[in-house]
């Protein structure tokens, strides 16, 4: 048996019915609803104002019904019948960002995964404490500009989409940086980026065993980031800087990638250590998570970020990926979530996957 995350009171609304998969209509909701439908679960779309019309264009991903709220922040309010609907909320990146971490933590509706992870993921310092204590290699962090000994990326606290990040190729170039708020200076890692979509099941007793359960790799992507990804076409960055053109890292889309097969061993070891440490620190991370980092030419993987819920890059693999097809053909992350809910329910173990 694994670790119970949800109280009996929280799960009482699911006692006598199939859970309804509910999420906010954005980000990866089409995939989440599609996966639930394939696994035979009812679905509920939460929309801000009128339901988006584009759902009509995707009949296999349209939720069975919608509930509308005036603002995302109203979602936890008394007038929103989520417990009555037997809803299980599947959080995605936009969900937590729009609702706010405090309101998300306080939601009186069962949520897929361990909501205690939020405190560790949303604070860059705590996230580093978690990953470094798991033995994961991360980009070096400089406490002071005088320590800089190579290229750096300067990140403002809470900067959304990497706007305002500053790149400097050495300490000299950093001297020209004029901060406009609190920031951290980080080693700029040279290499190639990979965003690896893992899934940790505390219920599974086969496959790549970690903790009481097992770890799966469901896909991999690279984010398209404007304007940095195409900036080179206009000339050298130094020249562009003089013309007032600065690099930004705003995510505009995703492309599928795979990792050199011999590097998979390393990828699994890193993800396994992150999961094992999460079990010690806060009872474990359950379900989808994404390990985001850079593979250097020495084949060292440096993790700059971890997302602890379904990421939008999984939308590439609604009908399976080169990895998930080797587990079960047509397995998306959305469908994998639904399978975990179905299994937990049939084994009387919902408290281990919901919080
Ligand atoms: P973040 O806000 O930390 O997710 O970073 C946004 C983007 O900046 C990433 O997707 C990478 O393209 C880039 N990036 C972040 N950290 C580093 C780093 N240490 N070295 C090189 N590129 C980075």
């Amino acid at each position: 048996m694994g670790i119970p995350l949800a109280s009996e009171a929280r799960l009482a609304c699911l006692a006598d019915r199939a859970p309804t998969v509910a999420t906010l209509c954005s980000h990866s909701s089409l995939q989440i609803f599609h996966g639930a439908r394939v696994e035979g679960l009812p679905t509920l779309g939460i929309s801000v104002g009128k339901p988006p019309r584009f759902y009509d264009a995707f009949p296999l991903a349209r939720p069975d019904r919608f509930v509308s709220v005036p603002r995302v922040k109203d979602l936890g309010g008394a007038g929103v019948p989520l417990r009555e609907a037997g809803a299980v909320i599947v959080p995605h990146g936009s969900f937590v960002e729009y609702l706010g971490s405090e309101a998300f933590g306080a939601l009186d509706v069962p949520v897929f995964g361990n909501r205690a992870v939020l405190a560790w993921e949303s604070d860059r310092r705590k996230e580093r404490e978690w990953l470094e204590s798991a033995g994961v290699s991360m980009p070096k962090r400089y406490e002071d500009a005088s320590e800089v000994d190579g290229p750096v990326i300067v990140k403002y606290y809470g900067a959304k989409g990497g706007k305002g990040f500053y790149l400097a190729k050495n300490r000299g170039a950093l001297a020209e940086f004029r901060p406009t708020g609190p920031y951290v200076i980080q080693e700029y890692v040279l290499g190639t980026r990979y965003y690896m979509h893992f899934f940790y099941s505390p219920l599974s007793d086969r496959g790549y065993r970690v903790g009481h359960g097992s770890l799966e790799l469901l896909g991999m992507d690279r984010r398209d980031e404007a304007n940095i990804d195409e900036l080179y076409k206009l000339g050298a960055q130094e020249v562009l800087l003089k013309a007032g053109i600065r690099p930004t890292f705003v995510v505009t889309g995703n492309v599928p990638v795979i990792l050199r097969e011999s590097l998979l061993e390393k990828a699994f070891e890193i993800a396994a250590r992150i999961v094992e440490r999460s079990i010690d620190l806060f009872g474990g991370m359950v379900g989808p998570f994404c390990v985001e980092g850079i593979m250097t030419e020495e084949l060292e993987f440096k993790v700059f970020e971890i997302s602890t819920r379904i990421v939008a890059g999984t939308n590439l693999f609604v009908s399976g990926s080169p990895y998930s097809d080797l587990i079960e053909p047509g397995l998306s992350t959305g469908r994998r979530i639904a399978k975990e809910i179905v299994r937990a329910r049939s084994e009387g173990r919902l408290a281990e996957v919901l919080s």
Side-chain angles (χ1 to χ4, degrees):
M1 258 336 216
I3 303 165
L5 307 173
S7 66
E8 273 181 35
R10 165 115 351 118
L11 299 187
C13 54
L14 301 176
D16 51 0
R17 63 179 121 193
T20 292
V21 168
T23 197
L24 192 66
C25 292
S26 80
H27 191 267
S28 45
S29 65
L30 288 169
Q31 184 199 157
I32 293 169
F33 296 137
H34 172 257
R37 178 187 282 251
V38 172
E39 294 304 316
L41 292 177
T43 49
L44 175 70
I46 304 163
S47 67
V48 176
K50 274 195 351 204
R53 247 191 90 195
F54 69 78
Y55 280 93
D56 294 339
F58 302 109
L60 301 183
R62 194 178 194 279
D64 299 325
R65 52 205 183 92
F66 290 95
V67 54
S68 298
V69 289
R71 299 167 312 171
V72 181
K73 300 230 175 305
D74 300 318
L75 207 123
V80 189
L82 293 176
R83 283 185 71 82
E84 293 78 350
V88 166
I89 296 220
V90 175
H92 50 57
S94 306
F95 194 105
V96 180
E97 191 182 320
Y98 297 160
L99 185 61
S101 49
E102 218 168 285
F104 175 72
L107 269 184
D108 189 27
V109 186
V111 165
F112 184 74
N114 185 355
R115 56 179 104 186
V117 69
L118 220 117
W120 291 86
E121 182 220 30
S122 54
D123 174 335
R124 280 198 200 254
R125 277 179 193 274
K126 286 195 89 165
E127 181 183 80
R128 183 170 277 268
E129 187 186 324
W130 170 13
L131 299 184
E132 286 191 334
S133 66
V136 171
S137 172
M138 295 187 76
K140 195 164 147 190
R141 192 191 149 123
Y142 299 97
E143 293 306 328
D144 192 84
S146 62
E147 298 167 10
V148 167
D149 53 3
V152 292
I153 178 166
V154 183
K155 301 178 180 182
Y156 286 107
Y157 287 155
K160 291 276 179 316
K163 271 210 162 163
F165 284 8
Y166 186 87
L167 302 182
K169 44 177 208 291
N170 50 35
R171 192 173 359 165
L174 187 61
E176 287 161 36
F177 171 59
R178 302 280 170 269
T180 55
Y183 60 90
V184 290
I185 307 172
Q186 207 178 72
E187 166 195 8
Y188 185 87
V189 183
L190 288 165
T192 38
R193 289 171 295 132
Y194 296 90
Y195 300 72
M196 305 181 203
H197 319 150
F198 284 97
F199 188 98
Y200 177 65
S201 165
L203 308 180
S204 172
D205 53 5
R206 56 188 60 189
Y208 190 101
R209 303 299 313 277
V210 175
H212 290 287
S214 74
L215 184 64
E216 295 163 18
L217 177 63
L218 297 181
M220 216 175 278
D221 78 294
R222 177 165 305 145
R223 293 184 187 156
D224 267 343
E225 293 173 328
N227 58 22
I228 185 78
D229 286 346
E230 307 279 344
L231 203 60
Y232 67 94
K233 291 181 179 169
L234 208 54
Q237 284 201 19
E238 288 83 356
V239 181
L240 297 179
L241 261 180
K242 287 196 184 111
I245 300 172
R246 297 186 170 281
T248 56
F249 295 76
V250 178
V251 180
T252 55
N254 305 79
V255 288
V257 291
I258 50 159
L259 198 62
R260 213 168 119 172
E261 192 168 291
S262 56
L263 295 173
L264 282 179
E265 194 65 4
K266 197 171 281 184
F268 269 92
E269 279 165 18
I270 292 170
R273 275 193 250 127
I274 295 174
V275 171
E276 274 158 4
R277 189 72 187 120
S278 77
I279 296 171
D280 300 339
L281 288 175
F282 52 86
M285 181 173 46
V286 167
F289 66 99
C290 182
V291 180
E292 306 168 8
I294 298 170
M295 192 68 77
T296 67
E297 60 190 349
E298 288 83 26
L299 304 182
E300 188 189 2
F301 193 66
K302 296 206 180 181
V303 177
F304 58 78
E305 177 89 85
I306 172 173
S307 296
T308 57
R309 58 194 61 78
I310 185 169
V311 289
T314 61
N315 290 339
L316 289 162
F317 308 118
V318 168
S319 50
S321 81
Y323 298 112
S324 74
D325 276 350
L326 307 180
I327 303 171
E328 183 179 333
L331 185 65
S332 69
T333 296
R335 190 170 160 209
R336 184 64 190 83
I337 292 170
K339 276 179 169 297
E340 194 76 350
I341 296 173
V342 169
R343 175 171 179 175
R345 180 164 186 259
S346 73
E347 294 181 3
R349 300 171 72 184
L350 281 172
E352 290 173 53
V353 301
L354 306 181
S355 64

